[in-house]
Amino acid sequence: MSNNEVPGQQRLAARISALVIGALTIFAPWYISGPLATLNRGIFWTYIITGVLMVTVAVVALIWRRAFWPAWGFFLLTVWIILAPDALSSAAKDVSLMHFILGAAGIVVSIFWIRRMFGRIPRDRPVVKGRTFRDCSSSERTLYGLVICVLGLGYCMALGYLYLTHAGLNGKPGISVQDIAITYYGNRSGTRLELMLRGQMRDKISPDEMDRVVAWLKSGSTEDEYDETIYPIIMKDCASCHSPKSGKNLKDYTTYEGIIPVATVDHGMSIETLVKLSHIHLFGIGLVTFVLGFVFCFSMLPAWFKNVVIVAPFFAMVIDIATWYLTKWDPVFAYTVVVSGLILGSAWGIQIFVSLYQIIFLPAAEKKA
């Protein structure tokens, strides 16, 4: 073998196994449900889209054998199978079992594949050793420490805002997966106004007044009844916040035209709002993830562990935002929104606490004479 050849290049077992698993994933809906496979849209498209992506990654790896990224791409897809919302929410045992079998087989193949990928690196390739916190000056350590403290505080504030805006949407205290589903999919059995009155605003109005507002909503939300019955309640209990005179950036409920958007069936966030939030989150969270990952690169940890912790929040961020749209289509994907958020928060937590610990306690490197 010449010096230019890559060791293990001809070993195709992992790639072929990945191709087979991808093909099985595509055909899984028909195996589970037969001719009725397309009736459950969530399960059907989860399998089809994931399977097609897995097959594509395997084919690319078979053609472009020196590529490193297909192994990681296939691994992320198998993790997606394990975390797919149908496995968490479906009562059908065959669905959960199929998720587990395909996901477990895919992870085994991924581990084998990634190990082979590292084994292909030529032994004589020069290794560039990166700097660590031991090599950073005191000024650099101070800067990095303050930056991640501020970003960590900002994340805590974001969690608080998330709780305040989502908790109680299902009429129960606390935040749950159902609250997340209602945010994006809506409560299509009722109106957003009723949902707010029974949830986060239930202490702002008396039970008798709430019953009168709900009766108005159920009867068709007519303008005449609004002027006669609902307007006095709004002025008494809601106008301090929901009026132009309040100075707050909240919807105006003191007019029929202002209240009617929330007095109709709730379909959750509009596509326009989702697109606006998506680009804000991608820019904002992307920059935060870059800064935290950059600082975390200086930590003294195994390279494979640092790579996983750096990649995880980027992957979770994209999956999180993508499943906003999927949740608006089918509320079952709210489970994936929660899981991706947990992955993002866990990775950021590891980066912040490990970096802070080593910035404070890791001694500086001794200067050579």
Side-chain angles (χ1 to χ4, degrees):
M1 184 176 65
S2 65
N3 294 333
N4 294 328
E5 292 182 5
V6 181
Q9 183 177 351
Q10 303 301 324
R11 300 184 180 182
L12 306 179
R15 299 178 180 85
I16 294 175
S17 299
L19 184 63
V20 171
I21 292 174
L24 291 175
T25 303
I26 293 175
F27 291 105
W30 286 277
Y31 173 79
I32 295 172
S33 305
L36 305 177
T38 58
L39 293 181
N40 191 322
R41 296 180 303 169
I43 294 177
F44 178 78
W45 286 111
T46 297
Y47 278 111
I48 296 299
I49 295 174
T50 308
V52 169
L53 290 175
M54 294 170 76
V55 168
T56 302
V57 167
V59 170
V60 170
L62 287 169
I63 297 173
W64 187 15
R65 296 184 182 178
R66 290 179 178 269
F68 281 54
W69 65 266
W72 290 106
F74 184 78
F75 173 75
L76 294 178
L77 288 171
T78 57
V79 172
W80 161 251
I81 290 179
I82 293 294
L83 300 180
D86 304 305
L88 298 175
S89 62
S90 177
K93 294 182 179 180
D94 49 0
V95 175
S96 299
L97 182 61
M98 183 62 69
H99 271 282
F100 177 78
I101 293 174
L102 290 173
I107 287 179
V108 171
V109 170
S110 300
I111 294 174
F112 176 78
W113 192 353
I114 292 171
R115 287 186 62 189
R116 288 295 180 192
M117 180 184 71
F118 285 126
R120 287 165 43 187
I121 299 176
R123 295 180 180 275
D124 58 348
R125 176 177 293 181
V127 178
V128 180
K129 183 179 179 181
R131 295 174 67 215
T132 67
F133 287 121
R134 289 173 58 89
D135 305 308
C136 294
S137 65
S138 60
S139 299
E140 288 178 303
R141 289 195 182 198
T142 301
L143 173 64
Y144 296 152
L146 292 175
V147 165
I148 60 178
C149 283
V150 170
L151 293 179
L153 180 61
Y155 181 61
C156 292
M157 295 297 102
L159 290 178
Y161 177 76
L162 179 68
Y163 180 85
L164 292 175
T165 54
H166 290 72
L169 292 180
N170 61 350
K172 300 177 182 178
I175 189 169
S176 65
V177 176
Q178 188 179 2
D179 293 321
I180 302 298
I182 291 173
T183 300
Y184 301 107
Y185 183 78
N187 180 19
R188 302 189 182 183
S189 61
T191 65
R192 181 172 288 273
L193 181 58
E194 180 183 355
L195 188 65
M196 290 188 295
L197 291 176
R198 296 190 183 279
Q200 60 202 81
M201 299 297 175
R202 60 186 175 273
D203 59 339
K204 307 295 184 183
I205 188 171
S206 68
D208 179 64
E209 291 171 330
M210 182 188 296
D211 291 340
R212 278 188 279 168
V213 174
V214 171
W216 171 67
L217 295 171
K218 302 288 187 186
S219 64
S221 308
T222 62
E223 185 172 3
D224 292 339
E225 191 175 353
Y226 169 82
D227 294 334
E228 181 181 347
T229 306
I230 307 303
Y231 178 76
I233 298 176
I234 296 296
M235 294 304 296
K236 174 178 175 290
D237 299 324
C238 309
S240 60
C241 295
H242 292 277
S243 68
K245 295 181 180 179
S246 69
K248 299 180 180 179
N249 188 22
L250 295 175
K251 295 179 180 179
D252 179 17
Y253 291 167
T254 60
T255 65
Y256 182 75
E257 292 75 14
I259 199 173
I260 197 61
V262 296
T264 54
V265 175
D266 177 24
H267 287 84
M269 285 189 183
S270 64
I271 294 297
E272 179 184 359
T273 302
L274 285 177
V275 172
K276 180 178 71 174
L277 291 177
S278 297
H279 91 269
I280 293 173
H281 278 74
L282 285 170
F283 283 131
I285 298 178
L287 287 174
V288 172
T289 304
F290 168 76
V291 173
L292 291 178
F294 175 78
V295 175
F296 184 68
C297 286
F298 292 97
S299 62
M300 295 185 67
L301 291 170
W304 67 268
F305 181 76
K306 289 202 294 185
N307 289 336
V308 170
V309 176
I310 289 172
V311 170
F314 285 99
F315 168 73
M317 172 181 61
V318 173
I319 294 298
D320 182 30
I321 293 175
T323 46
W324 293 354
Y325 298 88
L326 294 176
T327 304
K328 183 168 180 60
W329 171 55
D330 192 328
V332 74
F333 285 95
Y335 287 93
T336 310
V337 175
V338 174
V339 172
S340 58
L342 290 174
I343 294 174
L344 175 67
S346 299
W348 278 3
I350 293 173
Q351 293 178 11
I352 291 172
F353 287 111
V354 170
S355 298
L356 274 179
Y357 178 84
Q358 294 197 5
I359 286 173
I360 297 172
F361 297 105
L362 194 66
E366 297 181 0
K367 296 182 178 179
K368 296 182 179 180

